[in-house]
Amino acid sequence: MDKEQGGQGQHARVLDALGPAITAGDYPPGSVLRTDELEQRYAVSRTVVREVIRVLESMHLVASRRRVGVTVLPAEEWNVYDPRVIRWRLAGPDRPRQLRSLTVLRSAVEPVAAGLAARLATPEQCAELTSHALGMVATSRGRQLAEYLVHDVAFHRVILRASGNEMFARLGDVVAGVLTGRTQHGVMFADPDPAAVTLHVRVAEAVRERDAERAESLTREIVTGAMAELDVLAP
Amino acid sequence: MDKEQGGQGQHARVLDALGPAITAGDYPPGSVLRTDELEQRYAVSRTVVREVIRVLESMHLVASRRRVGVTVLPAEEWNVYDPRVIRWRLAGPDRPRQLRSLTVLRSAVEPVAAGLAARLATPEQCAELTSHALGMVATSRGRQLAEYLVHDVAFHRVILRASGNEMFARLGDVVAGVLTGRTQHGVMFADPDPAAVTLHVRVAEAVRERDAERAESLTREIVTGAMAELDVLAP
DNA sequence: GAGGCTTGAATACGTCGTACATGTTGCGTT
DNA sequence: AACGCAACATGTACGACGTATTCAAGCCTC
């Protein structure tokens, strides 16, 4: 019938409007959304609304029950590991808390991942690691934060992937979100902490030398520093 | 038109058939599912099939592209933290690997969670902890594995929740899955390791006394033991 | 004549609208 | 107060058209 504006896909459009609204808390837990209401508000067919609802339901953001409507679930029920939920929450009002939660998760996971990576990393991965560590060194001075961030994210992604654990590997996006969020949010002007840069280089060394103990404890220093840094910046 | 057999909801029925099939590897990555084919196979309308596809897509199990169909994604793309994906994989053929991955994740997360719990647990949570620890002691002998499992799961759930970190709290189901899987799969006959039982009691003590260091290192012993146990049982 | 580029038709998903079934909720009746 | 009925919102089904992507045939160029 019509093929108006739309980005690419009505489904994505409505989802990217409703999802962030819910995770932002615009609809308090227990709120009821009616299908036909959403139909009108976003000017789409029932099909689209229902599919969006089904996706939100699969993220445990809402629960759909007959005769009552689509009720918003409390935050404790949400699938907080869903990449989209993480993105939405990082873009919303409780971004500080989200950043904290994710950093704590990092502090638990990354040291163990680094220890495993020291035992399992392939030569190629070791090379990538040192390459990115050197890249961090090269971009650590003179306001090259964007370039530094790229290497930082890539470094941690390799560590997580090299751990050989699929659950760890899947946290690459989380770490990327945290690091990006920190760069954007925090000190856009100050250069990165030189001590942190050095630690990354030493982690790369430890992995290359298959020293699991050292890789783990060095990484623990990195994430401890990250948490301390967060304490300074965030309320 | 028809409302035959069905459990409760065609949507859930088809999803519980397709999801496990995909995670089990019945459709190798790159396989193409056509909508009308699924329609016929499960005797449902397009509406239902499309909603199921949308949910599977939100789990990154499949990707739907025009003119080509619904293609199955490689396992690296899957949202392995989705509770349903975890359940499906634990019920499927690569359950051993899944159990391993999740146990490694546990070994990284739980000690840190215990450390935080020691600082943040409410008196009620401390009480629950000791209660379940004592429950484990009481049911640790004489083939009461089912009852023991209940206390074990509850114990770790309280720890994760008391950590005050929502990401940790959400891993309660994961731990439950691992512990249940271990009980079902492994030694259904032998009583639990007495050393592990004692460690749980001591963790409860440490949390009650707000000794974060001790709670963390004791929990580390628990999960290290769990991993060692897994090495004995699994290939 | 061989190769690459453009154009067109076939195809399977995307969206729409309507109709009916089903389970719930809440109210009115007994 | 207990029961049952009617209204309501979601669940499911069916049919139609829009749309993008792919594949192949046909044209042009070298």
Side-chain angles (χ1 to χ4, degrees):
Chain A
M1 276 6 179
D2 32 68
K3 79 315 314 265
E4 59 276 53
Q5 77 295 348
Q8 76 280 37
Q10 307 282 46
H11 179 82
R13 204 194 86 221
V14 178
L15 190 61
D16 281 340
L18 257 185
I22 293 175
T23 54
D26 294 356
Y27 304 96
S31 303
V32 177
L33 306 170
R34 275 185 314 279
T35 311
D36 52 345
E37 180 190 315
L38 298 173
E39 241 176 284
Q40 291 182 11
R41 178 154 15 144
Y42 296 104
V44 292
S45 79
R46 226 175 114 125
T47 312
V48 172
V49 172
R50 297 199 81 263
E51 287 173 9
V52 169
I53 295 296
R54 271 293 164 35
V55 171
L56 292 174
E57 200 176 16
S58 97
M59 300 173 178
H60 279 78
L61 294 185
V62 303
S64 175
R65 279 181 344 191
R66 265 176 163 151
R67 159 71 203 205
V68 62
V70 178
T71 64
V72 177
L73 294 175
E76 301 86 46
E77 297 278 350
W78 299 351
N79 269 13
V80 287
Y81 285 92
D82 188 299
R84 254 171 310 194
V85 175
I86 292 178
R87 270 209 333 263
W88 292 337
R89 297 186 68 190
L90 279 177
D94 62 19
R95 169 211 194 90
R97 274 185 17 141
Q98 175 73 355
L99 227 42
R100 263 198 126 61
S101 299
L102 295 177
T103 303
V104 171
L105 179 64
R106 265 192 76 191
S107 76
V109 166
E110 289 208 61
V112 176
L116 287 170
R119 280 189 229 121
L120 301 172
T122 66
E124 290 78 23
Q125 287 169 333
C126 290
E128 287 182 65
L129 229 45
T130 52
S131 161
H132 290 303
L134 292 180
M136 290 175 70
V137 173
T139 57
S140 65
R141 313 186 76 170
R143 314 285 152 78
Q144 308 181 57
L145 280 171
E147 294 80 1
Y148 178 84
L149 178 63
V150 171
H151 288 295
D152 197 2
V153 168
F155 181 92
H156 291 281
R157 276 203 136 99
V158 173
I159 287 281
L160 290 169
R161 188 142 33 84
S163 73
N165 186 308
E166 54 185 358
M167 307 298 287
F168 287 171
R170 260 319 220 172
L171 292 177
D173 292 334
V174 169
V175 175
V178 170
L179 296 178
T180 306
R182 184 179 57 173
T183 301
Q184 289 177 351
H185 179 74
V187 221
M188 251 314 209
F189 318 105
D191 282 340
D193 179 13
V197 179
T198 307
L199 281 170
H200 282 78
V201 176
R202 293 177 62 197
V203 167
E205 276 178 18
V207 170
R208 205 173 45 223
E209 298 168 8
R210 318 258 104 157
D211 189 338
E213 298 284 330
R214 197 150 60 93
E216 178 169 344
S217 74
L218 286 170
T219 305
R220 210 170 286 280
E221 284 188 53
I222 291 179
V223 293
T224 303
M227 289 208 60
E229 186 177 326
L230 197 66
D231 283 330
V232 175
L233 297 176
Chain B
M1 275 354 183
D2 33 70
K3 80 310 326 244
E4 58 277 53
Q5 77 297 346
Q8 76 281 39
Q10 307 282 45
H11 179 83
R13 205 194 87 220
V14 178
L15 191 61
D16 280 340
L18 257 185
I22 293 175
T23 54
D26 293 355
Y27 303 96
S31 303
V32 177
L33 305 171
R34 276 183 313 276
T35 313
D36 51 345
E37 180 190 314
L38 298 173
E39 241 175 284
Q40 291 182 11
R41 178 154 14 143
Y42 295 104
V44 291
S45 78
R46 232 175 102 117
T47 313
V48 172
V49 171
R50 297 198 82 264
E51 287 173 10
V52 169
I53 295 297
R54 273 288 160 43
V55 171
L56 291 174
E57 200 176 18
S58 95
M59 299 174 178
H60 279 78
L61 293 185
V62 303
S64 174
R65 279 179 353 193
R66 267 175 162 152
R67 159 69 203 207
V68 63
V70 177
T71 65
V72 177
L73 294 175
E76 300 87 46
E77 298 277 350
W78 297 351
N79 270 13
V80 286
Y81 286 91
D82 189 299
R84 253 170 312 193
V85 174
I86 292 178
R87 269 209 334 260
W88 292 337
R89 296 185 68 190
L90 279 178
D94 62 19
R95 169 212 194 89
R97 275 186 16 142
Q98 176 73 353
L99 227 42
R100 263 198 126 63
S101 299
L102 295 177
T103 302
V104 171
L105 179 65
R106 266 192 75 190
S107 76
V109 165
E110 289 209 62
V112 176
L116 287 170
R119 282 189 228 119
L120 301 172
T122 66
E124 290 79 24
Q125 287 168 332
C126 289
E128 287 181 65
L129 231 44
T130 50
S131 160
H132 290 303
L134 293 181
M136 289 175 71
V137 173
T139 57
S140 64
R141 312 186 78 170
R143 313 286 152 78
Q144 308 182 57
L145 280 170
E147 293 81 0
Y148 178 85
L149 177 64
V150 171
H151 287 296
D152 197 3
V153 168
F155 182 92
H156 291 281
R157 277 202 136 100
V158 173
I159 289 280
L160 290 169
R161 188 143 33 86
S163 73
N165 186 309
E166 53 186 358
M167 307 299 287
F168 287 171
R170 260 319 221 172
L171 293 177
D173 292 334
V174 169
V175 174
V178 171
L179 296 179
T180 306
R182 185 180 55 173
T183 300
Q184 290 176 351
H185 180 72
V187 222
M188 251 313 209
F189 317 105
D191 282 340
D193 179 13
V197 179
T198 306
L199 281 170
H200 282 78
V201 175
R202 293 176 63 196
V203 167
E205 275 177 19
V207 171
R208 205 174 45 221
E209 297 168 8
R210 318 256 105 157
D211 189 339
E213 297 286 329
R214 198 150 60 94
E216 178 169 345
S217 74
L218 286 170
T219 305
R220 211 171 287 280
E221 285 188 55
I222 291 179
V223 293
T224 303
M227 289 208 58
E229 187 177 327
L230 197 65
D231 283 330
V232 175
L233 297 177

